[in-house]
Amino acid sequence: MANEPAMSTANNAARNRNIGPVILLGPPGAGKGTQSRQIVEHYGVPQISTGDLLRDHVARGTALGLEAKAIMTRGELVPDELMYGIVADRLREVDCRCGFVLDGFPRTAAQAGWLDAFLEKEVFDNFDAKADTKSEKPKKCPLIVIQLLVDYNQLLLRIAGRRSCPTCGRLYNIHSQPPLVDAVCDVDGSKLVIREDDREEVISERLATYERQTKPVADYYRGQRRLIAINADRTVEEVTTQIFGVIDSHCVGGC
Ligand code: AP5
């Protein structure tokens, strides 16, 4: 209790900073969604989850959703060209001006190249423009790429045990983070659901797709000396501490 004011001051300081773009890379079940939510909470930046954006299109029955549904159900990737539009639209929204966390994008080397060009042209330019019009910084905040490393068998266990709330999106796991009441969301009482692509036969295809198409993204950022790999085979809290440490050390002085 005695630490509360100090804690909330620290939290406010974190929320008022511009952390720039943060990318969470990792296979299905690595904890990208779980950790993105921690970043959102702590730094006050939005989470851009391409999986959630696509699932929203599927739920609304848009043309993109109709095309994406069958692909996602097979555990494959939606074509790059379809992804660029929805990501660009989302990143142009005003809440992304002080940073954002990307969860599930980029997922191919081509997407990584596209993102670099987009950030250079539309996002970093904006940060620089802001710096020109203010007496104090902010300065350009570098892209942070964090790779979550998790043992393969642990991934299988995490995906098979995942449950989510269809109303608030909160994630649970029947093994590691169960709800207080079986199959019911702690926050709003909704009945928890299992994701369509979390069926056993789809899980192995999603993991194979990751090895084939998304691993090269890690090589891409390693080549740029941007990749920071962390051991995500630990508790949620321990992984969060590592991630915050990376973000804080990259944005020294408040971008
Ligand atoms: P997407 O929704 O992005 O799914 P994914 O990458 O397969 O990742 P997941 O959501 O399964 O896992 P996660 O890493 O977020 O883990 P989580 O935090 O939930 O993509 C779905 C589909 O959309 C793709 O297959 C593709 O078809 C399409 N798509 C999306 N983006 C695309 C793109 N850019 N290009 C083309 N197609 C695209 O955690 C998992 C479970 O583990 C939870 O139950 C959680 O509670 C638990 N957990 C988390 N952390 C821990 C921990 N430290 N210890 C114990 N349990 C933990």
Side-chain angles (χ1 to χ4, degrees):
M1 275 306 227
N3 282 337
E4 254 181 30
M7 287 273 288
S8 75
T9 309
N11 251 342
N12 282 341
R15 292 180 78 87
N16 287 331
R17 281 175 38 198
N18 183 346
I19 63 168
V22 178
I23 294 175
L24 291 188
L25 272 186
K32 302 182 296 296
T34 302
Q35 294 301 331
S36 294
R37 285 170 167 255
Q38 304 292 329
I39 296 173
V40 168
E41 181 93 355
H42 188 71
Y43 295 99
V45 297
Q47 168 192 12
I48 319 293
S49 158
T50 43
D52 286 348
L53 290 173
L54 288 168
R55 281 184 285 277
D56 179 56
H57 274 271
V58 171
R60 288 187 287 119
T62 65
L64 169 62
L66 291 175
E67 194 164 343
K69 186 173 192 251
I71 299 170
M72 293 169 76
T73 307
R74 291 197 299 270
E76 297 167 6
L77 294 187
V78 173
D80 292 340
E81 293 67 30
L82 293 182
M83 299 307 302
Y84 298 151
I86 56 169
V87 173
D89 285 349
R90 183 64 188 88
L91 293 184
R92 285 185 185 120
E93 284 179 32
V94 71
D95 63 339
C96 293
R97 294 293 291 263
C98 285
F100 48 85
V101 53
L102 276 168
D103 156 14
F105 191 94
R107 239 179 165 101
T108 62
Q111 290 183 9
W114 176 89
L115 182 66
D116 266 353
F118 182 87
L119 292 178
E120 205 49 55
K121 184 162 174 273
E122 302 212 18
V123 177
F124 289 150
D125 270 4
N126 289 336
F127 289 156
D128 287 344
K130 272 196 284 180
D132 288 340
T133 55
K134 285 188 177 174
S135 50
E136 276 187 51
K137 308 181 260 232
K139 62 178 184 289
K140 179 168 158 175
C141 222
L143 175 65
I144 303 172
V145 186
I146 302 173
Q147 183 185 31
L148 306 179
L149 302 175
V150 181
D151 170 75
Y152 188 87
N153 289 326
Q154 186 58 234
L155 293 174
L156 294 177
L157 205 66
R158 286 189 189 178
I159 301 173
R162 172 169 43 203
R163 304 289 182 271
S164 58
C165 174
T167 309
C168 71
R170 181 159 171 181
L171 292 170
Y172 296 87
N173 193 284
I174 56 171
H175 308 294
S176 58
Q177 296 167 290
L180 296 171
V181 177
D182 188 34
V184 174
C185 178
D186 297 350
V187 180
D188 54 40
S190 301
K191 188 169 167 28
L192 300 182
V193 295
I194 299 178
R195 241 168 66 177
E196 179 72 13
D197 58 352
D198 278 353
R199 287 172 294 117
E200 210 175 314
E201 63 278 18
V202 188
I203 293 174
S204 51
E205 181 53 36
R206 284 166 59 204
L207 289 165
T209 300
Y210 174 82
E211 289 292 321
R212 215 171 37 242
Q213 290 178 269
T214 309
K215 271 247 175 105
V217 176
D219 298 333
Y220 177 92
Y221 288 119
R222 194 176 293 109
Q224 295 183 347
R225 306 176 72 85
R226 287 188 196 280
L227 190 74
I228 298 158
I230 65 167
N231 177 6
D233 226 338
R234 300 167 115 180
T235 66
V236 170
E237 294 75 21
E238 287 169 338
V239 178
T240 303
T241 302
Q242 292 182 77
I243 291 176
F244 288 179
V246 170
I247 294 175
D248 291 342
S249 66
H250 267 66
C251 288
V252 182
C255 300

